[in-house]
Amino acid sequence: AQNLSNYFWIIKSKTVFLVEQLTELISQREIHPVQAAKQYIQQNYGKTITLSEVAEKLNFSSVYFGNMFKKHTGKTFNAYLTDVRMEQAKQLLKRQEYTISEIAGMVGYQDIKYFSKTFKNIYGVKPSEYKKLLSSLHIKDLHI
């Protein structure tokens, strides 16, 4: 009876260990694709990017991957993409060497009105107002 009890304890211990390893592998499988998607967005934000396209590249359904992406980033795929694009637009506006239309195209927007509306929704000012504000601050040597 003692040997049987020890045998069951060993089986239980090994089963718990295997379940923990499997859980870790599943978690890593979810995190890695999200990291890959974020990297892909950082490298391609100026192009047309869709959730379906990225999910397909990573061998997931778009619904499953969209849920996974939101679970790990706290944002939908499109919200994350928009944030990356708007942050890049903000950096380009600081450089003063591009027009608003050029910047819109550089960060993946073909419609300048939609770009301006999105920028204003996020930052509270139109890109042209932001650019003018930065220009006036540079003139005063505040260099932000």
Side-chain angles (χ1 to χ4, degrees):
Q2 177 96 14
N3 285 342
L4 189 57
S5 178
N6 287 341
Y7 180 71
F8 282 126
W9 182 85
I10 291 169
I11 290 176
K12 181 181 174 184
S13 298
K14 289 191 181 249
T15 303
V16 168
F17 177 73
L18 289 173
V19 167
E20 288 173 351
Q21 282 186 319
L22 184 58
T23 302
E24 178 65 23
L25 285 172
I26 290 169
S27 176
Q28 287 176 359
R29 181 178 183 267
E30 289 184 354
I31 292 170
H32 175 68
V34 171
Q35 289 302 110
K38 288 168 70 175
Q39 183 178 359
Y40 183 81
I41 289 169
Q42 287 292 334
Q43 294 171 347
N44 296 285
Y45 61 83
K47 301 175 186 172
T48 300
I49 301 174
T50 65
L51 170 62
S52 298
E53 167 197 347
V54 175
E56 185 177 322
K57 286 181 185 293
L58 297 168
N59 298 315
F60 290 100
S61 76
S62 57
V63 172
Y64 179 79
F65 186 71
N67 290 333
M68 182 193 318
F69 191 90
K70 185 167 184 175
K71 176 183 170 187
H72 289 285
T73 64
K75 297 180 181 187
T76 65
F77 180 87
N78 286 333
Y80 183 86
L81 174 59
T82 298
D83 286 351
V84 168
R85 286 175 166 168
M86 290 296 112
E87 186 58 36
Q88 292 300 321
K90 206 167 74 168
Q91 297 306 315
L92 290 167
L93 286 163
K94 288 179 181 179
R95 294 174 55 188
Q96 302 287 324
E97 60 195 75
Y98 302 108
T99 67
I100 304 298
S101 181
E102 289 172 327
I103 291 171
M106 292 167 76
V107 297
Y109 290 89
Q110 304 312 312
D111 182 345
I112 190 169
K113 289 181 183 179
Y114 184 68
F115 166 73
S116 293
K117 180 181 176 184
T118 303
F119 191 93
K120 184 173 182 178
N121 285 341
I122 292 175
Y123 298 115
V125 294
K126 293 178 184 177
S128 56
E129 295 167 343
Y130 184 79
K131 190 173 184 176
K132 285 179 188 173
L133 176 64
L134 290 174
S135 179
S136 69
L137 291 176
H138 283 281
I139 291 171
K140 295 176 184 175
D141 284 331
L142 293 178
H143 299 289
I144 61 170

